[in-house]
Amino acid sequence: MSQAILEGIRVISLCSGIAGSAAGLQLSEAGAEVVMVEPQNNPARDQQALFAVLNRGKRSVTLNLENATDRQQLQRLLGSADVLLHDFTPAQARVHGLADEQLAAGFPRLIISAIGGWPQRHALANSVPHETLILARLGLLDEQPAHRSGPAFVRMPFANWLACWLCVIGVLARLLARQRDGSGGIAHTSLAQAALVPMTMHWNRAQAPTPAFAKGLDKHIPIPLHQCADGRWLHVHYSPDKTPWMAAALSELGESEVTRLNALWPPSHVAPNFGANKAIIATRPAKDWVEHFWQHDVAAQIAAPFGDIYFDEQARANGYVVEVDDVQLGKTLQPGAAWRVQPPARIGASAPLMGEGNAGLLEAVVEIQVPQVGPALGPLPPLHGLKVLDLGAYLAGPFACMLLADLGAEVIKVEAPKGDAMRRLERIFSGTQRGKLGVALQLGDRQTEPTVEALVRWADVVHHNMRLPAARKLKVDYDSLKALNPKLIYCHVSAYGPSGPRADWPGFDQLMQAACGWEVEQGGESQAPMWLRFGVGDFFAGLSSLYALLLGLYERDRSGIGQMVSSSLLGATLLSMSEAVVLEDGSLTPVAHMNANQTGLSDTHCMYLCSDAWLVVVALQLDEIQRFQALTGDQPHAYFAGLTREAALAELAARQIPAQPVLEAQMDAFLDSPEHAAAGLHAHYRHAVYGDLQQIGAFWDFGNLPLSLRRPPPALGQHTKQVLESLGFASSELDRLASAGLVAL
């Protein structure tokens, strides 16, 4: 068997939350040895299914960090390690001897990734690091639509899963930088930064916005989730009007009735006959409709119950569902790796028994011999010098390439002379494009082939998320580009994965939420399903593709060989279902369901409406629950309704019950906040059209290595001439291509 990509890398994990534990899982499945350090009576083990998935393939060491002898044992382990993951607050880390400066002094080659609640330079860095509290304080619960007015509880722990990917990307970027610089350092992220990832689409502010930029995308735009004749719900992406059944039904209704039905609903930006579509879809069962739409290349998915996807043929064909014999749960179906590289992901065996590695690991620690480090090359971004060709559109591909630019890569975005399809949604487009040079040229035309070939020869990486049949038609598939540049790392994001019957099908974030059960869960018990507005599947897929890409680069540094790597919307979204697994008898382990009012999972993990505004309580520990019940009695809703939010929060704080205000309408407040600015969460630059442009800022803190957040999103064709002339094309040739409509200058 070939050597796994991260074989020889040792990771010490001191993580109790989903984000850090899942990050350890990703590193383990890329070949690293991951040692989880846990306390006796680890409460994370109470969530058996989640623990089984997140910790498979790892080794367990039990240490009590309150004990000086055990802290010394931890220091010995760190001397043998390449990477430390932890989710302590800065104050907790210092108490345990794990502050950044303490670790840097003792372990100069160690890479340290802390996943806090907030960035370490933020005023809230030492507050309780729970996702719901952070979403409330940022105002993101108000960004999610509900079946009623007001903010909504968010069922999926999406910030934890995004933070997992940010963490491992930061670690891989640091490993690559360590090969260049000879030293380790920090690669921190946080749940708050992860929660802000999807808000790049929405929280942008411009000095001179166009009407389209100023409009943005309102959270109340109707989402095409339609109830069918059998009571099941179907999510349809884009207009189904040209499919035979729908076209015939629209014709039979007649223009006036179609107009009347459409008028019952607000206008949809994806379906001009939204109301009529809804009435027509109600006449047939969901299975009939989805098969009809699939036959006619319309992207659609039934909103399935949580867990059904484990039995899906496409998920199994791509290894997104794997069989694991767990020491506690027996034979299980679990989420598999969301990415593909060569050598492939190594699916670990059962999660370890507590402390099974104590004797072998603590008695046989061999410290890494630290080589002499030469003169520093200067404060270069982690991926300085990497050259990236971005051929993507929509969200997943462009967002991944934007983060490569943030990390210091030189990124050239290629789009058609008429513009990326997302340019019509200007604020969303801008949120995935900063840091890039913009080139507008027509792919697939014989006259532009020399320019495309020159760009491919220039690049280290090509990244895109178009369907592979389209890539082959445009001659930008892997086989075509590998012939031009054998060392190329070619990264592709698909909808359903590279294998199986749906390998080349269209798919979107909403459809993966439907397939994986998250729309049913977000709707609340006995309510209609609801889309989680944050586009999480796109961002999961984009970030997981970036992890695969960096693994490919790390492997190329060793082997000298390029390769195609990939991720998908389905695989990355399915991984977020790790809180439930299928047992040998075919049953799904229990999951917590949101209440019908979309306010929470229980009385102690819930939003409450006070006399003037909303707050959220997250009392999960037994002592917190007891104090909450003593305060509110058996009628917590009535208790909070009788108090102002300020008074209620004061009562909760006095009893050390975790709570936060559920802030609303926060975009301007966020972009005006000096606290957020001080933590690096703002970015400013001058845009060619919008003037001063303000966006969400850094997703990592690399300490001594800077990020690159200075270049605004490109205007259409803004850098075509500059880039192509630098590759040797004469101005006269570019003018000729422009006159033929093949480039935009």
Side-chain angles (χ1 to χ4, degrees):
M1 181 181 290
S2 56
Q3 181 179 352
I5 293 176
L6 295 183
E7 193 162 322
I9 297 294
R10 173 174 277 187
V11 179
I12 306 300
S13 174
L14 289 155
C15 297
S16 58
I18 291 173
S21 300
L25 174 68
Q26 303 310 315
L27 296 170
S28 172
E29 298 197 335
E33 179 193 21
V34 179
V35 180
M36 52 179 293
V37 177
E38 57 179 326
Q40 290 284 356
N41 304 314
N42 181 3
R45 287 183 174 268
D46 295 341
Q47 297 177 277
Q48 273 194 307
L50 183 63
F51 187 88
V53 177
L54 298 188
N55 296 294
R56 68 179 179 230
K58 300 178 185 178
R59 304 186 69 182
S60 167
V61 166
T62 53
L63 293 174
N64 176 8
L65 298 189
E66 308 300 321
N67 179 289
T69 301
D70 281 11
R71 287 200 301 273
Q72 289 177 345
Q73 290 275 37
L74 175 60
Q75 293 290 310
R76 291 184 65 225
L77 271 176
L78 292 176
S80 72
D82 298 278
V83 177
L84 168 65
L85 307 178
H86 74 77
D87 50 16
F88 297 129
T89 66
Q92 291 169 333
R94 185 167 299 280
V95 167
H96 297 315
L98 300 174
D100 293 342
E101 66 274 13
Q102 294 170 306
L103 292 168
F107 312 104
R109 281 178 56 83
L110 184 67
I111 292 164
I112 308 130
S113 183
I115 307 176
W118 297 83
Q120 296 209 354
R121 290 181 286 142
H122 199 283
L124 294 171
N126 288 309
S127 61
V128 176
H130 191 280
E131 176 165 339
T132 302
L133 298 174
I134 291 160
L135 296 183
R137 186 63 178 252
L138 281 171
L140 300 196
L141 298 182
D142 184 50
E143 292 286 337
Q144 172 60 27
H147 294 306
R148 49 165 175 75
S149 61
F153 188 90
V154 172
R155 173 61 185 85
M156 179 203 281
F158 75 91
N160 268 276
W161 285 102
L162 291 170
C164 151
W165 293 116
L166 290 174
C167 172
V168 293
I169 291 164
V171 167
L172 258 292
R174 261 293 182 181
L175 282 169
L176 290 164
R178 189 175 76 170
Q179 293 180 167
R180 175 192 72 195
D181 302 341
S183 60
I186 66 172
H188 297 333
T189 189
S190 68
L191 296 178
Q193 285 161 295
L196 289 167
V197 161
M199 300 316 295
T200 56
M201 298 188 293
H202 303 298
W203 285 4
N204 295 260
R205 192 164 63 183
Q207 176 188 25
T210 63
F213 184 98
K215 182 180 180 182
L217 198 61
D218 187 89
K219 79 172 187 177
H220 299 295
I221 287 176
I223 299 300
L225 260 167
H226 305 296
Q227 191 168 27
C228 302
D230 56 357
R232 302 186 76 186
W233 291 79
L234 183 67
H235 201 136
V236 184
H237 200 279
Y238 291 139
S239 172
D241 290 358
K242 293 183 180 179
T243 61
W245 289 356
M246 184 62 68
L250 289 169
S251 176
E252 185 176 345
L253 285 173
E255 185 176 340
S256 61
E257 180 63 4
V258 167
T259 300
R260 185 190 72 80
L261 290 168
N262 289 341
L264 300 175
W265 296 88
S268 165
H269 72 290
V270 296
N273 289 313
F274 181 89
N277 294 157
K278 186 171 283 292
I280 292 165
I281 287 172
T283 64
R284 295 177 188 260
K287 189 173 184 294
D288 292 354
W289 273 118
V290 77
E291 290 178 354
H292 182 73
F293 289 150
W294 286 349
Q295 288 170 7
H296 297 282
D297 205 40
V298 172
Q301 281 288 159
I302 295 171
F306 200 84
D308 277 16
I309 195 69
Y310 279 119
F311 304 99
D312 182 82
E313 175 188 11
Q314 184 70 19
R316 293 195 177 210
N318 285 282
Y320 301 147
V321 174
V322 294
E323 294 184 11
V324 178
D325 195 355
D326 183 76
V327 69
Q328 301 287 346
L329 296 173
K331 292 180 180 178
T332 61
L333 297 181
Q334 301 184 8
W339 40 270
R340 278 195 188 182
V341 297
Q342 291 297 329
R346 183 179 66 186
I347 301 300
S350 170
L353 293 171
M354 183 176 291
E356 55 80 26
N358 277 43
L361 286 165
L362 295 180
E363 293 174 7
V365 168
V366 178
E367 293 198 12
I368 293 175
Q369 297 300 307
V370 180
Q372 201 70 26
V373 177
L377 297 176
L380 297 174
L383 299 185
H384 176 77
L386 184 70
K387 294 177 286 189
V388 178
L389 187 59
D390 173 11
L391 303 180
Y394 298 100
L395 289 178
F399 181 76
C401 291
M402 183 183 90
L403 293 194
L404 289 171
D406 285 2
L407 292 166
E410 184 174 357
V411 180
I412 294 174
K413 174 183 173 57
V414 174
E415 58 186 313
K418 292 183 179 179
D420 185 315
M422 287 297 283
R423 278 192 179 271
R424 66 187 180 86
L425 299 173
E426 293 185 25
R427 200 186 299 179
I428 293 178
F429 177 84
S430 295
T432 59
Q433 305 294 341
R434 71 159 170 242
K436 305 176 187 180
L437 297 170
V439 171
L441 69 85
Q442 188 63 52
L443 297 175
D445 190 282
R446 182 182 55 80
Q447 296 180 71
T448 60
E449 281 182 9
T451 60
V452 175
E453 291 174 0
L455 286 164
V456 171
R457 291 191 177 98
W458 164 86
D460 297 297
V461 168
V462 168
H463 190 292
H464 74 84
N465 58 329
M466 70 182 83
R467 288 197 262 176
L468 288 180
R472 288 190 285 271
K473 182 178 179 181
L474 297 173
K475 298 181 181 178
V476 292
D477 56 294
Y478 178 54
D479 287 340
S480 298
L481 302 193
K482 178 175 66 173
L484 299 169
N485 185 347
K487 287 193 171 185
L488 194 69
I489 301 297
Y490 182 100
C491 186
H492 180 243
V493 181
S494 65
Y496 288 95
S499 303
R502 281 172 266 167
D504 294 328
W505 284 19
F508 299 84
D509 155 67
Q510 298 95 319
L511 306 186
M512 304 310 149
Q513 289 191 39
C516 291
W518 285 118
E519 289 194 332
V520 169
E521 294 304 318
Q522 184 58 34
E525 285 204 276
S526 303
Q527 294 272 43
M530 183 159 273
W531 175 51
L532 189 63
R533 178 176 179 251
F534 300 103
V536 290
D538 283 310
F539 294 106
F540 292 158
L543 289 168
S544 58
S545 79
L546 186 44
Y547 180 55
L549 186 157
L550 295 179
L551 287 172
L553 288 171
Y554 194 84
E555 174 66 14
R556 188 181 71 177
D557 284 353
R558 179 170 60 198
S559 68
I561 299 171
Q563 63 168 297
M564 179 175 176
V565 304
S566 65
S567 73
S568 74
L569 294 167
L570 176 60
T573 306
L574 200 155
L575 183 64
S576 71
M577 299 173 60
S578 295
E579 62 195 74
V581 301
V582 174
L583 301 176
E584 189 172 10
D585 64 2
S587 65
L588 188 75
T589 55
V591 294
H593 300 291
M594 184 155 63
N595 61 30
N597 205 33
Q598 295 176 294
T599 56
L601 300 178
S602 67
D603 284 349
T604 60
H605 189 186
C606 193
M607 297 185 340
Y608 290 99
L609 183 59
C610 299
S611 63
D612 58 343
W614 292 85
L615 60 75
V616 69
V617 173
V618 181
L620 304 181
Q621 306 303 318
L622 180 60
D623 59 333
E624 294 169 348
I625 292 170
Q626 290 170 341
R627 292 195 298 271
F628 178 82
Q629 292 172 339
L631 174 66
T632 65
D634 59 1
Q635 296 292 328
H637 289 279
Y639 172 81
F640 287 108
L643 295 172
T644 65
R645 180 165 71 188
E646 183 179 5
L649 286 170
E651 293 287 348
L652 291 163
R655 290 160 178 79
Q656 296 183 294
I657 299 168
Q660 284 287 349
V662 177
L663 300 182
E664 301 179 47
Q666 284 296 292
M667 184 185 81
D668 287 326
F670 173 84
L671 294 173
D672 287 336
S673 165
E675 287 182 352
H676 297 326
L681 299 181
H682 294 169
H684 298 261
Y685 9 70
R686 187 157 189 85
H687 189 270
V689 175
Y690 307 133
D692 290 335
L693 179 63
Q694 186 179 8
Q695 297 185 302
I696 289 166
F699 296 110
W700 297 276
D701 178 0
F702 285 95
N704 63 321
L705 301 185
L707 291 167
S708 180
L709 304 176
R710 298 181 300 275
R711 179 178 285 156
L716 180 62
Q718 183 177 352
H719 306 104
T720 304
K721 194 175 185 70
Q722 169 191 334
V723 167
L724 295 183
E725 285 185 349
S726 73
L727 294 175
F729 293 91
S731 180
S732 58
E733 172 64 6
L734 299 181
D735 289 340
R736 185 188 69 77
L737 291 172
S739 65
L742 297 174
V743 302
L745 302 176

